[in-house]
Amino acid sequence: MNNFSDILSKAQKVQEKMKEVQESLKKIEAEGVSGGSLVKVVLTGEHEMKSISINPEARKEKEEILFDLIIAAHNDAKEKLKKKKTSEELLKITGESN
């Protein structure tokens, strides 16, 4: 029975650690860029768009091109966020630091 208690205790610790990881991941931000930094988008760890900036030079482009730049910057931020979240999760779970 002691073995079962140890397993249960370890499972509880892992669950607590996962909750901590999930909370810290919400605080992560990633910036995506496109068009040589004509458009920048910042996403939070929950994939909410926090900000968007458009260089005045980009505003001279056709509307369709500007929309494509915004989408590309968003996708870039999303990909960076995915990489950050994965590495953060692994670091926290394994207990390693940068």
Side-chain angles (χ1 to χ4, degrees), residues 1 9 12 20 22 36-37 42 45 48 51 58 61-62 65 67 71 76 81 83 87-88 93-94 98:
M1 280 298 178
S9 175
Q12 236 175 350
E20 289 175 23
Q22 288 171 341
S37 296
V42 176
E48 291 181 11
S51 68
E61 296 291 337
K62 291 181 181 176
I65 293 172
F67 291 161
I71 291 168
D76 183 46
L81 187 61
K83 289 177 184 176
S87 64
E88 285 280 325
I93 290 170
T94 60
N98 291 348

Side-chain angles (χ1 to χ4, degrees), residues 37-97:
S37 296
L38 288 176
V39 176
K40 296 180 182 181
V41 171
V42 176
L43 296 180
T44 69
E46 294 182 311
H47 295 110
E48 291 181 11
M49 191 178 300
K50 183 175 181 180
S51 68
I52 183 169
S53 62
I54 301 172
N55 184 305
E57 289 298 312
R59 295 179 185 164
K60 295 176 185 175
E61 296 291 337
K62 291 181 181 176
E63 189 175 86
E64 182 178 308
I65 293 172
L66 183 56
F67 291 161
D68 288 343
L69 290 172
I70 293 169
I71 291 168
H74 179 271
N75 290 338
D76 183 46
K78 197 165 70 168
E79 188 61 34
K80 288 177 181 175
L81 187 61
K82 183 178 173 182
K83 289 177 184 176
K84 278 186 175 185
K85 287 176 85 169
T86 301
S87 64
E88 285 280 325
E89 282 184 58
L90 291 174
L91 289 174
K92 291 205 178 220
I93 290 170
T94 60
E96 297 175 19
S97 60

Side-chain angles (χ1 to χ4, degrees), residues 9-44:
S9 175
K10 287 179 184 179
Q12 236 175 350
K13 287 179 184 178
V14 168
Q15 188 176 23
E16 289 171 11
K17 191 68 147 173
M18 287 303 295
K19 282 182 185 178
E20 289 175 23
V21 169
Q22 288 171 341
E23 286 301 313
S24 68
L25 291 178
K26 290 179 183 178
K27 298 174 187 172
I28 293 174
E29 292 182 358
E31 179 182 78
V33 297
S34 68
S37 296
L38 288 176
V39 176
K40 296 180 182 181
V41 171
V42 176
L43 296 180
T44 69

